[in-house]
Amino acid sequence: MEVLVAPGPEQAAERAAAAVLDGLARAAGPAPVLGLATGSSPLGLYRALGRAVAQGRADFADTHGVALDEYVGLPPGHPEGYRQVLLREVCSVVGLAPERLAVPDGSVADLDALERAAADYEARIAALGGVDVQILGIGANGHLGFNEPGSALASRTRVKRLSARTRRDNARFFPGADDVPTHCLTQGLGTILDARRLVLVATGDGKADAVAAALEGPLTASVPASVLQWHPDTVVCLDEDAAAGLRNRQYYDDSAAGLPES
Ligand code: F6R
């Protein structure tokens, strides 16, 4: 696990963008697959990728985008549904083609249909050859995707109930807390672990406890993001505030400095 601590959120976003581009450059197939998180954490990273495109350092024309999760019960086209969010905040920013964006279908009405949508989504990811780089944020309660505390470490894409904390945290995107959907479809922790590289970005002191528990606490379903410790290629990009609870900070900084000059 590589833990990179930057002075502020913009520098953390730049480092995360570099880690994403580096991971995509190693993609084996002709069309790389990028896993996309929503929420506030990756917005600076998406803007940094947009700048890389504008400067000719990156090109997402052939890239497939794969969403991490989607709310259940929002009608197609709802502005806070993650398809619309990703069209606005990723496709139009980095030039990823809308027809290459895959999002689980949470608009279907009953549990059977949702379970089929979850299975279809797993099949879609497999047909693309798996995810090359998965971008992630972390919930203040340690969730990853919408895998809330208690999620099975080997879980696959499925319907999950959102915790009261997550619904409160996401109320800022809706007219009121009661308008936040109660359920979602989310890639499972096992699905996320199948991605060839994970890039987590977290900024602000509201994430410090969750980051410390995920990176330095035990691997446990109580802190779903602790599965990052299990993955062979995880890059964690933090600002100083989000890194405030880390005990092994000096080691991370020393490691990031690389080999001594000979
Ligand atoms: C988003 C997602 C969530 C968020 C997390 C942090 O697709 O799956 O895990 O990454 O809730 O959200 P922000 O970044 O808004 O604090």
Side-chain angles (χ1 to χ4, degrees):
M1 186 164 54
E2 206 178 334
V3 181
L4 305 173
V5 184
E10 288 81 19
Q11 296 95 327
E14 284 293 344
R15 286 185 177 194
V20 168
L21 293 177
D22 178 50
L24 291 178
R26 285 190 263 131
V33 180
L34 180 59
L36 301 165
T38 53
S40 306
S41 304
L43 292 179
L45 157 58
Y46 295 139
R47 286 193 294 267
L49 292 177
R51 285 194 294 278
V53 171
Q55 293 161 0
R57 294 185 287 114
D59 181 357
F60 291 89
D62 292 331
T63 303
H64 290 278
V66 172
L68 198 48
D69 40 26
E70 176 59 294
Y71 290 117
V72 161
L74 295 182
H78 189 289
E80 294 308 325
Y82 285 165
R83 173 171 291 283
Q84 294 305 315
V85 170
L86 291 171
L87 287 171
R88 271 196 317 270
E89 292 170 353
V90 181
C91 292
S92 63
V93 173
V94 310
L96 192 143
E99 59 276 15
R100 286 179 176 250
L101 175 66
V103 183
D105 184 3
S107 69
V108 288
D110 59 78
L111 189 56
D112 283 350
L114 288 167
E115 283 173 354
R116 275 197 303 279
D120 288 351
Y121 199 61
E122 286 279 335
R124 178 97 185 257
I125 293 172
L128 289 170
V131 173
D132 290 299
V133 179
Q134 176 64 57
I135 294 169
L136 297 163
I138 183 172
N141 66 355
H143 75 208
L144 204 61
F146 276 141
N147 295 281
E148 300 285 22
S151 292
L153 300 179
S155 48
R156 311 301 305 185
T157 302
R158 68 215 182 290
V159 182
K160 280 297 278 183
R161 186 171 181 98
L162 296 174
S163 69
R165 171 78 195 260
T166 298
R167 292 186 69 224
R168 249 190 344 265
D169 286 348
N170 287 7
R172 66 191 193 279
F173 299 114
F174 292 86
D178 291 342
D179 301 305
V180 182
T182 55
H183 288 76
C184 66
L185 281 169
T186 182
Q187 284 190 34
L189 295 172
T191 319
I192 293 168
L193 285 172
D194 282 348
R196 287 178 272 279
R197 166 170 272 200
L198 305 180
V199 177
L200 179 115
V201 57
T203 56
D205 55 6
K207 297 295 172 69
D209 290 346
V211 165
L215 303 194
E216 296 181 345
L219 174 60
T220 168
S222 300
V223 183
S226 62
V227 295
L228 294 174
Q229 299 175 32
W230 193 251
H231 194 281
D233 185 8
T234 292
V235 184
V236 179
C237 300
L238 307 171
D239 69 354
E240 287 287 351
D241 289 341
L246 294 175
R247 292 187 308 272
N248 291 333
R249 170 64 191 277
Q250 187 61 54
Y251 179 74
Y252 306 137
D253 290 353
D254 290 348
S255 300
L259 291 171
E261 306 242 334
S262 57

